[in-house]
Each structure stands twice: as structure tokens, then as C-alpha cells.
Amino acid sequence: MLTVNAYAATSATEPLAPTTIERRDVGPHDVLIEIKYTGICHSDIHHVRGEWGPADYPVAPGHEIAGIVVEVGSEVTKHAVGDRVGVGCMVDSCGECVNCRKGEEQYCLAGNTGTYGSVDADGNPTQGGYSTHIVVTEDFVLKIPQGIELDAAAPLLCAGITTYSPLSHWGAGPGKKVAVVGLGGLGHMAVKLAHAMGAEVTVLSQSLKKQDDGLRLGADHYYATSDPETFDKLAGSFDLIVNTVSAKIDLDAYLSLLAVDGALVNVGAPPEPLSVNAFSLIGGRRSFAGSLIGGIRETQEMLDFCAEHHLGAEIEVIPADKINEAYERVLASDVRYRFVIDISTLS
């Protein structure tokens, strides 16, 4: 076992604090990664504060991991020492169910193994990227192409793939009108990606305070949803709406913005249920759907796409001792647009 430095939560109410955690020995198919940067995702906050159900404490969160391979198992063929690599929201799956065989490990019928908050094959709780090292089976390690800096690449392992997957699945591209609800950690990547795919992109945000940013990131239009006229003006406009916010919204109002056969896809995960009137769907053959990250193959595709188009997250790099402050700033929407932890400050 390898003992490494980490930052972890010990309860739903206490601040995260420095600690040490154990990593398993490197097996034949494992990769040992020295973590350089880890993004802070709103999911980290939901999990450690018990908002999605009881957590197994202590827990070191973090599933936006970028680093360097420092050791590989005897049978590893996909990675080598010195490689620039990433780890996202999953570290394993059954590999045998119909979804895993299709490369959709995020929908593993047995339940994928989360980077933190799950139980690993050795029976121990998984611990995430708020730590100096991690051991992951080679099939769940991604290659970070040259052309993306590691710090800007880290959030792509969750925020990037969470938005890329629905944009790709629902056909965002030339001739399509795409709206992005919210311009935060997820939303800013959705704008960048949809623009790079060739879609006409609109940001729907509560106010216009981030309008300049939205247009700079690639949006063609920007509207404030606090203005009731927005919903009248844009009725029936969009082929696809990607909702990135983790708060309750009026789904019926947003569904009214879809064209016939349009889809509203939720990637934000509010802790409370959302309701929808069936007539909001029936009236325009509209769809309300959800999307969960992406499989390993699609995540690699996303990273390669980002490298080709010179895309990375907009980040603010912080030392580990600023994690608790960063959590409060995330909740206050006071970050543009993703905090990334410099893991060297844990050493």
C-alpha cells in the first residue's frame, strides 16, 4: 500500500482538512499517476455535504484529475511512464454488460465505480483527486493530448465530457440552434464546445452580468431569463437546450423555447425533484432528457476534439488550503469558471 497526502472531508458539516489516504499496490493492469491538478466540481460539494445521500467518511473528493504516469503494471499496454494522463468520474465498471460493451461505461448495469464515494475491487472506498497520487486500471486512464495545459485540461474530465456528450448525441453542429442554460463551470464549456461544433449558440442566464464573457467564449446571443420577454421572444427557437444548472427551474417555460422535435437535456443535478407538464412535451413532439458524463471512448474523443480546437477550461488555480474557501465561492457563483487545485501544494 502507498500512503499519500490528501485533503478530505470527515463529516457533512466540518471543513475539509489535510490527511493521508492509502492507495493500493500497482497491479498488472494498473497505472500509478502523480496528480498535478484537480478541478473542483459542484458534485464534490454535493457529495461531501451529504446532499445526494449519506457519504462514507472520510472522503477525498475530486474527479477532474490531470497528472503524469510514474509507474505502470507489468501487463499495461496503453500507457507509459511520463505520459500526460487524466482520470474522470469513473475508475472501473463491470466491462461485461451491454452498456459497457458499447463503450457506455457510465451506464454500467452493475453500476460503475466512481472515482470517489464508491467501493473499489479490493473492497475499500474509492478516494478521489484531492491527493498526490492515484492508482487506476489502465482502461480508465485517458491520454491528455499535447496542446492542452494540464491545469486547463483537468476540468475537461467532468465539465468537458458532461457537456460534450449531449451536444454530440443530439447532433449539435452547423444549422442547429443550441441554447445553454447557465454560464458556470459546465455552461462555459458547453458554449465553447457547441461553438467549435459549428452550432448557433445562445446563453440563457438569469442576468446579463456575464454577457461579455459568454460572447467571448463563443456564444452568438445572450439573454436574461429574469426578463419574461425572453421566453416570448425565443418561443419555438431551439433544436437543443442543455441545462447545466444544479437548481430547480421552470421546465415548462424552457420547453416552450424548443422547436418541433427539439430536446431539453438536463446535465445539472439539483437535489430536489423537477416537475414537467406533459402538454409541454406533447405540443411540439419535444423531449426532456438527461445525460451523464460519457464513456471512456467518448471522453478520449472529447479530449482530442479540445486539443484540435485549442479548447480548455477557464480556470482559477488555487492551493489546497483554499479548498474550503473555494467551495463557498462556488456556491456564491464567484468563480470564472472552474477552480483547479495545484496538487503540488499538498506535497
Side-chain angles (χ1 to χ4, degrees):
M1 300 289 282
L2 177 66
T3 300
V4 304
N5 291 335
Y7 236 75
T10 56
S11 78
T13 57
E14 294 297 317
L16 281 72
T19 187
T20 58
I21 59 175
E22 300 295 323
R23 297 299 191 188
R24 69 173 183 263
D25 293 331
V26 176
H29 295 283
D30 286 337
V31 175
L32 173 62
I33 301 165
E34 181 182 354
I35 300 173
K36 298 296 186 181
Y37 298 97
T38 298
I40 292 178
C41 177
H42 203 147
S43 300
D44 300 346
I45 303 173
H46 285 308
H47 183 85
V48 302
R49 297 190 175 181
E51 294 171 351
W52 287 345
D56 185 8
Y57 301 102
V59 58
H63 55 211
E64 297 181 338
I65 300 168
I68 304 294
V69 175
V70 292
E71 184 181 344
V72 298
S74 59
E75 298 181 31
V76 168
T77 60
K78 297 180 179 180
H79 308 282
V81 171
D83 284 357
R84 293 156 36 96
V85 295
V87 178
C89 301
M90 306 176 288
V91 291
D92 210 351
S93 71
C94 80
E96 299 176 355
C97 72
V98 61
N99 292 338
C100 285
R101 292 199 304 270
K102 289 192 301 183
E104 302 280 5
E105 299 93 346
Q106 74 275 32
Y107 303 124
C108 175
L109 294 177
N112 68 69
T113 303
T115 305
Y116 62 84
S118 288
V119 178
D120 215 340
D122 60 8
N124 293 315
T126 55
Q127 302 285 357
Y130 295 14
S131 58
T132 58
H133 296 77
I134 190 169
V135 177
V136 181
T137 182
E138 65 171 326
D139 290 339
F140 284 77
V141 176
L142 289 306
K143 295 183 182 297
I144 296 178
Q146 295 295 329
I148 312 176
E149 296 298 326
L150 288 179
D151 53 0
L156 300 180
L157 277 303
C158 176
I161 186 57
T162 295
T163 50
Y164 179 90
S165 187
L167 289 169
S168 176
H169 182 80
W170 274 274
K176 293 295 183 73
K177 293 184 176 181
V178 174
V180 177
V181 182
L183 192 67
L186 292 175
H188 92 283
M189 284 308 309
V191 170
K192 285 190 171 192
L193 290 163
H195 174 73
M197 291 174 175
E200 182 179 334
V201 184
T202 298
V203 174
L204 301 174
S205 184
Q206 283 189 315
S207 73
L208 299 179
K209 67 179 182 180
K210 296 181 181 178
Q211 183 173 18
D212 289 345
D213 276 4
L215 299 177
R216 174 179 61 83
L217 294 170
D220 299 286
H221 316 284
Y222 199 110
Y223 290 91
T225 55
S226 57
D227 182 355
E229 291 186 6
T230 291
F231 290 90
D232 293 332
K233 181 176 183 178
L234 300 179
S237 294
F238 301 110
D239 302 296
L240 173 63
I241 300 174
V242 179
N243 176 27
T244 71
V245 301
S246 292
K248 196 169 186 177
I249 64 168
D250 183 349
L251 287 178
D252 297 307
Y254 285 89
L255 286 166
S256 74
L257 303 181
L258 290 172
V260 171
D261 291 329
L264 168 58
V265 183
N266 233 66
V267 296
E272 66 270 26
L274 299 173
S275 63
V276 61
N277 188 322
F279 287 99
S280 297
L281 303 173
I282 293 169
R285 201 163 59 198
R286 301 177 177 115
S287 301
F288 174 50
S291 181
L292 176 70
I293 55 171
I296 296 301
R297 181 178 60 227
E298 188 176 42
T299 305
Q300 188 63 61
E301 177 185 297
M302 176 274 304
L303 288 168
D304 294 341
F305 179 88
C306 288
E308 178 184 353
H309 293 273
H310 308 290
L311 302 180
E314 305 285 310
I315 61 172
E316 180 178 333
V317 179
I318 61 168
D321 62 8
K322 297 294 185 183
I323 289 172
N324 293 297
E325 177 184 323
Y327 274 26
E328 297 308 315
R329 288 181 59 192
V330 169
L331 295 174
S333 299
D334 180 26
V335 55
R336 296 194 179 181
Y337 282 91
R338 206 64 153 183
F339 285 115
V340 173
I341 307 162
D342 179 353
I343 299 299
S344 70
T345 61
L346 271 176
S347 299

